[in-house]
Amino acid sequence: MELPASEPLEPQHQRVVEEQSALREAVRVVAPDVAVPYFAHMRLQSGGRSRDVLLGPQARVAAGVAVVDWRTAPLAEVFFGCEEGEEYEVEVGTRTLAGTLLERSLVGFADGEVVEIVRGGDVLTRRDGGDWRRLARPAWLLPRAPQLRGRERSPIEVELDRAQRQVVELPAGRHSLVLGEAGFGKTTVALHRLAALRRAATGPFRAAVVVPTDGLRRLTEALLERLGAEGVEVRLYDHWAGAQARRAFRGLPRRESRDATAGVIRFKRHPALREALHELAARRPRIGRAALLHLFGDRDLVEHAAAAAGGAIAAHVVEEVLEHAHVQFSNSAEDEYAHVDAERLQALDGASLDDGTPMEDAGTVDAEDYAVLFELDRLAAAAGGARPIAPRAYDCLVVDEAQELAPLELALLGRSLARGGTMIVAGDAGQQIDPTASFAGWERAMAELGVAAYETATLEQSYRCPPEVTALARRILDPAAPAGPAGGRAALARFDDECRLAAELTDALRALFAHDASATVAVITRAPEGARRLAGLLRRGLTLRLVLDGDFQFQAGINVTHVQESKGLEFDYVVVPDASAAAYPDAPESRRALYVASTRATHQLLLAAVGRFTPLLDGAASPTSSPPHETE
């Protein structure tokens, strides 16, 4: 949007500028060379007296004014949790501080001087070096029209278009690959087709939907219930494969590892592992947990597979795989001291004695091992002229977000389809964000599933994102994509510091819910650590849910989560608070991750950053954008 029209300062605004200049001078005594001595200012009234408190990067005491740490000080909760005129009460040690918040301002600096003050709906600025002027504070989040509020919107209850109906109405036994960009209805089509096959079945009908995240599992279960498709299994791939493996192979541990490195996981999911599997299968081993030690504990086999990966597996990963296998096949502390009274082996917090130690993964199995065992059994059976162990069979299998599955995992799923059964695959290569998946394209993926003939349906119409969001997301994924319409539905916001970011988001979300209490919001960071940190900052002023395990409730409110958890889901508003170069460098996996986060929005997307935006937004943002006050 255009910069708000500026106005000359009125006397009350001039007073604010003069007061902030005086506070800066007071702080200069104890921080003469600090370029940004504080980020925000409060004036508090308590016991009939008022005092100034500043929120800064560290605590300082100046003449007549206190600077407190904006992240940890109890008084900082007043700034984030209260509006001007509200009473407050906070615990500070053994004391309770109570009073009224009189004034609340954000303060920006340049070269150690105050250049911007945000108070209420006003922005007082001289960032360009000229005279002070007044702007209207941007409304970062745009409320929905009244008729859209409070109306539950389900992605499953839609009128299917012609292309979607053609897939749904395919006869049983005809396999399908449903492709399309985010929000184009892939999951909707897949589940409608599953429900149609179930209704048409004249006898027992066993079906399963395999998904990559717990949030998508919860959503899929709810959608199937609305379609009347009871009795369908909906499982995360890891849980589904673990259940299959424990039925087939005795002695597998119930515990899965926690400390497998990214290199170990990539190695176990890489197609080059098949080289080692063929070599071990020729020895016709006894298939079970011990076979995993013969495979991943054998240096020659591990080095052979790493070499076959053509440089995709780093040299140090060989040692990581061998060491991880050594730990997994070591005795746990409980096993080592099984002769000791069990009560004496119990940690105070109830955890395993090995938790938090290098031996934490003793006596565990990796989720990646399940598909490896089935493939090794198949190869060994073929070498010996025997029949391999068959996984549990399904009449219909839906594989959603299939681009996130590794070749051996796809092969196991394919072997689980009953003779004459129907395979439904849905995915989008543009949303492939797991770097360990080794996705090599849809033709290869369908071959791994054992599906030779299938119908491909490429959906062409978005049912989720506003046009501005769709256009921006396409430019993120492909800089050569044409620019779309500019507008407030795809907004950009750059801030000088994290305190400003947290305060602006808190204020914007508070204002949004004051107008639209039924809104669903997702604040999506790149990684789990970022979600934890931001949730801690925003909780001082907002009620929210930190979702790191798929525990979305799909109702009004704020969810703070990360990209991987958000796959397949949608929300009215999406805020990406770390759209910076640090979180999203110029790399293909970053493009896909930012694309996934952005395309969760059904009403508005806000991309925010501290400092410079990610280079992935170069060319995607309007050339007239001038942070921090403009949006695309």
Side-chain angles (χ1 to χ4, degrees):
M1 64 183 180
E2 297 294 331
L3 273 174
S6 62
E7 301 176 2
L9 296 190
E10 296 181 359
Q12 67 267 30
H13 301 130
Q14 187 64 46
R15 178 186 63 81
V16 171
V17 170
E18 291 170 356
E19 289 177 348
Q20 288 301 326
S21 298
L23 289 170
R24 172 63 184 112
E25 291 307 313
V27 176
R28 199 185 299 276
V29 175
V30 293
D33 300 320
V34 178
V36 183
Y38 59 95
F39 307 122
H41 163 249
M42 295 186 292
R43 181 159 292 152
L44 306 177
Q45 184 179 62
S46 179
R49 296 185 303 172
S50 66
R51 62 171 176 148
D52 294 304
V53 177
L54 306 177
L55 278 59
Q58 65 182 76
R60 305 176 190 273
V61 178
V65 62
V67 182
V68 301
D69 189 319
W70 77 274
R71 293 157 297 195
T72 60
L75 273 177
E77 296 180 14
V78 178
F79 182 87
F80 287 94
C82 297
E83 302 280 358
E84 289 187 354
E86 285 189 31
E87 295 182 350
Y88 66 87
E89 187 174 290
V90 295
E91 302 295 328
V92 181
T94 59
R95 297 183 301 154
T96 298
L97 300 183
T100 303
L101 175 62
L102 298 179
E103 295 182 11
R104 176 182 184 273
S105 303
L106 289 162
V107 185
F109 288 83
D111 299 323
E113 301 299 327
V114 177
V115 296
E116 190 162 85
I117 305 163
V118 180
R119 183 180 173 199
D122 296 325
V123 178
L124 311 179
T125 186
R126 56 171 182 139
R127 281 188 178 271
D128 59 2
D131 294 333
W132 284 95
R133 64 190 189 280
R134 173 178 169 268
L135 306 173
R137 188 178 184 182
W140 297 115
L141 298 175
L142 308 175
R144 296 179 296 171
Q147 63 269 25
L148 298 178
R149 303 174 195 171
R151 187 179 70 184
E152 185 178 4
R153 178 181 178 274
S154 170
I156 208 70
E157 294 169 349
V158 296
E159 184 71 28
L160 299 180
D161 62 29
R162 182 173 177 274
Q164 293 173 324
R165 288 197 306 273
Q166 285 179 335
V167 179
V168 171
E169 294 168 0
L170 286 172
R174 294 276 292 278
H175 311 307
S176 55
L177 170 62
V178 186
L179 303 178
E181 297 177 48
F184 278 47
K186 299 180 297 297
T187 300
T188 297
V189 170
L191 298 185
H192 272 279
R193 174 149 170 72
L194 168 60
L197 291 171
R198 185 182 180 283
R199 287 192 299 269
T202 57
F205 183 79
R206 184 182 299 278
V209 182
V210 178
V211 298
T213 68
D214 217 26
L216 187 53
R217 177 188 65 80
R218 293 168 187 265
L219 176 62
T220 300
E221 287 177 340
L223 298 181
L224 285 172
E225 182 178 350
R226 292 185 182 220
L227 286 172
E230 298 84 3
V232 175
E233 294 180 35
V234 184
R235 307 287 291 272
L236 297 183
Y237 166 79
D238 289 355
H239 296 173
W240 175 86
Q244 293 276 19
R246 289 185 178 87
R247 287 180 63 252
F249 307 106
R250 293 183 178 179
L252 289 183
R254 306 301 300 184
R255 278 203 314 133
E256 292 182 355
S257 67
R258 298 179 182 177
D259 289 343
T261 66
V264 170
I265 295 171
R266 180 188 292 272
F267 179 85
K268 290 190 174 187
R269 301 185 80 198
H270 199 278
L273 181 62
R274 283 188 166 123
E275 296 290 331
L277 292 177
H278 279 282
E279 190 172 335
L280 181 58
R283 305 174 191 174
R284 298 176 63 181
R286 183 168 181 169
I287 307 302
R289 183 170 182 250
L292 297 173
L293 179 59
H294 292 308
L295 175 62
F296 298 119
D298 187 313
R299 178 176 294 274
D300 289 341
L301 287 177
V302 173
E303 289 181 342
H304 184 188
I313 302 296
H316 66 84
V317 171
V318 170
E319 300 302 328
E320 291 178 9
V321 171
L322 295 171
E323 175 59 24
H324 185 61
H326 171 73
V327 171
Q328 285 191 298
F329 282 86
S330 298
N331 287 331
S332 66
E334 285 79 5
D335 290 335
E336 195 72 30
Y337 298 102
H339 59 286
V340 178
D341 181 18
E343 290 187 1
R344 298 175 62 187
L345 295 177
Q346 184 70 42
L348 292 178
D349 59 1
S352 163
L353 294 181
D354 290 324
D355 280 4
T357 76
M359 297 302 293
E360 183 173 24
D361 280 346
T364 66
V365 66
D366 291 337
E368 296 74 31
D369 292 336
Y370 304 135
V372 170
L373 283 171
F374 275 103
E375 182 67 5
L376 184 58
D377 171 72
R378 186 187 70 81
L379 293 172
R387 294 184 64 181
I389 297 174
R392 190 177 192 179
Y394 295 86
D395 300 296
C396 181
L397 200 56
V398 175
V399 185
D400 201 5
E401 303 285 354
Q403 71 277 356
E404 302 295 6
L405 292 169
L408 287 180
E409 295 160 359
L410 292 169
L412 175 57
L413 285 162
R415 291 178 60 196
S416 300
L417 189 66
R419 185 183 297 274
T422 305
M423 179 74 74
I424 307 168
V425 181
D428 176 13
Q431 297 185 65
Q432 201 283 301
I433 61 174
D434 188 337
T436 70
S438 300
F439 179 70
W442 289 113
E443 184 175 351
R444 184 68 244 165
M446 298 303 284
E448 293 288 359
L449 285 164
V451 177
Y454 54 92
E455 303 284 341
T456 300
T458 302
L459 307 181
E460 302 288 351
Q461 183 175 346
S462 175
Y463 292 91
R464 177 190 297 158
C465 301
E468 304 98 312
V469 174
T470 297
L472 178 60
R474 286 172 174 170
R475 289 291 291 270
I476 289 170
L477 199 59
D478 178 8
R489 300 289 195 92
L492 305 177
R494 185 186 66 78
F495 304 107
D496 291 337
D497 53 76
E498 191 178 31
C499 180
R500 177 76 172 268
L501 169 71
E504 292 276 13
L505 287 185
T506 298
D507 290 353
L509 288 166
R510 189 184 291 134
L512 172 67
F513 279 93
H515 288 91
D516 187 355
S518 64
T520 60
V521 177
V523 181
I524 304 176
T525 64
R526 177 72 190 272
E529 311 83 66
R532 290 190 189 94
R533 176 179 175 81
L534 190 60
L537 297 175
L538 296 181
R539 272 200 175 111
R540 294 178 293 181
L542 298 166
T543 299
L544 56 83
R545 294 176 60 82
L546 174 62
V547 183
L548 301 178
D549 57 359
D551 190 22
F552 295 95
Q553 291 190 341
F554 307 110
Q555 60 187 24
I558 303 168
N559 300 274
V560 180
T561 188
H562 60 97
V563 175
Q564 181 63 42
E565 288 290 327
S566 72
K567 285 184 67 66
L569 307 181
E570 61 182 48
F571 305 87
D572 298 324
Y573 297 83
V574 167
V575 178
V576 178
D578 55 356
S580 64
Y584 293 93
D586 191 356
E589 57 270 25
S590 294
R591 288 190 180 279
R592 294 192 294 269
L594 187 55
Y595 173 83
V596 168
S598 300
T599 51
R600 302 307 95 199
T602 64
H603 178 72
Q604 187 187 355
L605 166 69
L606 174 62
L607 298 172
V610 173
R612 293 181 60 84
F613 281 118
T614 168
L616 305 184
L617 292 175
D618 293 347
S622 166
T624 60
S625 291
S626 176
H629 297 303
E630 286 198 330
T631 60
E632 185 183 28

